[in-house]
PDB file of all heavy atoms in Angstrom:
ATOM      1  N   PHE A 921     -47.119   7.505 -49.597  1.00 61.00           N
ATOM      2  CA  PHE A 921     -46.769   6.259 -48.857  1.00 61.00           C
ATOM      3  C   PHE A 921     -45.688   6.441 -47.907  1.00 61.00           C
ATOM      4  O   PHE A 921     -45.628   5.573 -46.868  1.00 61.00           O
ATOM      5  CB  PHE A 921     -46.515   5.205 -49.906  1.00 61.00           C
ATOM      6  CG  PHE A 921     -45.166   5.241 -50.491  1.00 61.00           C
ATOM      7  CD1 PHE A 921     -43.947   4.865 -50.080  1.00 61.00           C
ATOM      8  CD2 PHE A 921     -45.049   6.148 -51.666  1.00 61.00           C
ATOM      9  CE1 PHE A 921     -42.671   5.015 -50.637  1.00 61.00           C
ATOM     10  CE2 PHE A 921     -43.811   6.318 -52.265  1.00 61.00           C
ATOM     11  CZ  PHE A 921     -42.631   5.748 -51.748  1.00 61.00           C
ATOM     12  N   PRO A1049     -52.428   4.514 -49.925  1.00 76.00           N
ATOM     13  CA  PRO A1049     -52.699   5.939 -49.376  1.00 76.00           C
ATOM     14  C   PRO A1049     -53.203   6.944 -50.250  1.00 76.00           C
ATOM     15  O   PRO A1049     -53.955   7.757 -49.971  1.00 76.00           O
ATOM     16  CB  PRO A1049     -51.096   6.351 -49.081  1.00 76.00           C
ATOM     17  CG  PRO A1049     -50.296   5.167 -49.126  1.00 76.00           C
ATOM     18  CD  PRO A1049     -51.016   4.206 -50.147  1.00 76.00           C
ATOM     19  N   ASP A1053     -52.200   7.120 -57.041  1.00 69.00           N
ATOM     20  CA  ASP A1053     -50.881   6.492 -57.086  1.00 69.00           C
ATOM     21  C   ASP A1053     -50.938   4.916 -56.886  1.00 69.00           C
ATOM     22  O   ASP A1053     -50.099   4.254 -56.431  1.00 69.00           O
ATOM     23  CB  ASP A1053     -49.925   6.997 -56.118  1.00 69.00           C
ATOM     24  CG  ASP A1053     -49.603   8.472 -56.329  1.00 69.00           C
ATOM     25  OD1 ASP A1053     -49.353   8.761 -57.495  1.00 69.00           O
ATOM     26  OD2 ASP A1053     -49.628   9.282 -55.370  1.00 69.00           O
ATOM     27  N   HIS A1054     -52.192   4.345 -57.276  1.00 69.00           N
ATOM     28  CA  HIS A1054     -52.324   2.888 -56.945  1.00 69.00           C
ATOM     29  C   HIS A1054     -51.273   2.149 -57.677  1.00 69.00           C
ATOM     30  O   HIS A1054     -50.759   1.127 -57.093  1.00 69.00           O
ATOM     31  CB  HIS A1054     -53.704   2.495 -57.468  1.00 69.00           C
ATOM     32  CG  HIS A1054     -54.765   2.706 -56.541  1.00 69.00           C
ATOM     33  ND1 HIS A1054     -56.159   2.603 -56.940  1.00 69.00           N
ATOM     34  CD2 HIS A1054     -54.823   3.236 -55.308  1.00 69.00           C
ATOM     35  CE1 HIS A1054     -56.928   2.919 -55.816  1.00 69.00           C
ATOM     36  NE2 HIS A1054     -56.165   3.311 -54.880  1.00 69.00           N
ATOM     37  N   GLY A1055     -50.989   2.320 -58.996  1.00 71.00           N
ATOM     38  CA  GLY A1055     -50.048   1.615 -59.778  1.00 71.00           C
ATOM     39  C   GLY A1055     -48.586   1.548 -59.175  1.00 71.00           C
ATOM     40  O   GLY A1055     -47.905   0.582 -58.914  1.00 71.00           O
ATOM     41  N   ARG A1056     -48.170   2.881 -58.818  1.00 77.00           N
ATOM     42  CA  ARG A1056     -46.842   2.963 -58.217  1.00 77.00           C
ATOM     43  C   ARG A1056     -46.703   2.251 -56.834  1.00 77.00           C
ATOM     44  O   ARG A1056     -45.786   1.549 -56.604  1.00 77.00           O
ATOM     45  CB  ARG A1056     -46.623   4.510 -58.046  1.00 77.00           C
ATOM     46  CG  ARG A1056     -45.123   4.726 -57.389  1.00 77.00           C
ATOM     47  CD  ARG A1056     -45.010   6.047 -56.823  1.00 77.00           C
ATOM     48  NE  ARG A1056     -45.915   6.252 -55.728  1.00 77.00           N
ATOM     49  CZ  ARG A1056     -46.264   7.468 -55.168  1.00 77.00           C
ATOM     50  NH1 ARG A1056     -45.683   8.625 -55.628  1.00 77.00           N
ATOM     51  NH2 ARG A1056     -46.939   7.525 -54.232  1.00 77.00           N
ATOM     52  N   ASP A1057     -47.828   2.574 -55.909  1.00 79.00           N
ATOM     53  CA  ASP A1057     -47.752   1.993 -54.616  1.00 79.00           C
ATOM     54  C   ASP A1057     -47.882   0.446 -54.707  1.00 79.00           C
ATOM     55  O   ASP A1057     -46.966  -0.179 -53.850  1.00 79.00           O
ATOM     56  CB  ASP A1057     -48.821   2.474 -53.770  1.00 79.00           C
ATOM     57  CG  ASP A1057     -48.567   4.114 -53.451  1.00 79.00           C
ATOM     58  OD1 ASP A1057     -47.374   4.536 -53.674  1.00 79.00           O
ATOM     59  OD2 ASP A1057     -49.528   4.701 -53.189  1.00 79.00           O
ATOM     60  N   LEU A1058     -48.656  -0.128 -55.524  1.00 79.00           N
ATOM     61  CA  LEU A1058     -48.748  -1.561 -55.607  1.00 79.00           C
ATOM     62  C   LEU A1058     -47.388  -2.186 -56.237  1.00 79.00           C
ATOM     63  O   LEU A1058     -47.072  -3.297 -55.973  1.00 79.00           O
ATOM     64  CB  LEU A1058     -49.998  -1.905 -56.229  1.00 79.00           C
ATOM     65  CG  LEU A1058     -51.167  -1.982 -55.377  1.00 79.00           C
ATOM     66  CD1 LEU A1058     -52.423  -2.137 -56.280  1.00 79.00           C
ATOM     67  CD2 LEU A1058     -51.167  -2.995 -54.361  1.00 79.00           C
ATOM     68  N   GLY A1059     -46.825  -1.298 -57.184  1.00 80.00           N
ATOM     69  CA  GLY A1059     -45.591  -1.721 -57.597  1.00 80.00           C
ATOM     70  C   GLY A1059     -44.515  -1.864 -56.559  1.00 80.00           C
ATOM     71  O   GLY A1059     -43.566  -2.826 -56.571  1.00 80.00           O
ATOM     72  N   LEU A1060     -44.535  -0.963 -55.473  1.00 85.00           N
ATOM     73  CA  LEU A1060     -43.655  -1.088 -54.394  1.00 85.00           C
ATOM     74  C   LEU A1060     -43.975  -2.352 -53.545  1.00 85.00           C
ATOM     75  O   LEU A1060     -43.022  -3.009 -53.079  1.00 85.00           O
ATOM     76  CB  LEU A1060     -43.884   0.146 -53.467  1.00 85.00           C
ATOM     77  CG  LEU A1060     -43.343   1.470 -54.093  1.00 85.00           C
ATOM     78  CD1 LEU A1060     -43.708   2.601 -53.125  1.00 85.00           C
ATOM     79  CD2 LEU A1060     -41.816   1.459 -54.279  1.00 85.00           C
ATOM     80  N   VAL A1061     -45.217  -2.715 -53.504  1.00 84.00           N
ATOM     81  CA  VAL A1061     -45.606  -3.961 -52.827  1.00 84.00           C
ATOM     82  C   VAL A1061     -45.006  -5.183 -53.448  1.00 84.00           C
ATOM     83  O   VAL A1061     -44.329  -6.106 -52.860  1.00 84.00           O
ATOM     84  CB  VAL A1061     -47.168  -4.125 -52.709  1.00 84.00           C
ATOM     85  CG1 VAL A1061     -47.543  -5.445 -52.064  1.00 84.00           C
ATOM     86  CG2 VAL A1061     -47.725  -2.949 -51.897  1.00 84.00           C
TER      87      VAL A1061
END
Side-chain angles (χ1 to χ4, degrees):
F921 72 93
D1053 299 318
H1054 280 175
R1056 182 201 64 194
D1057 293 342
L1058 283 169
L1060 292 172
V1061 174

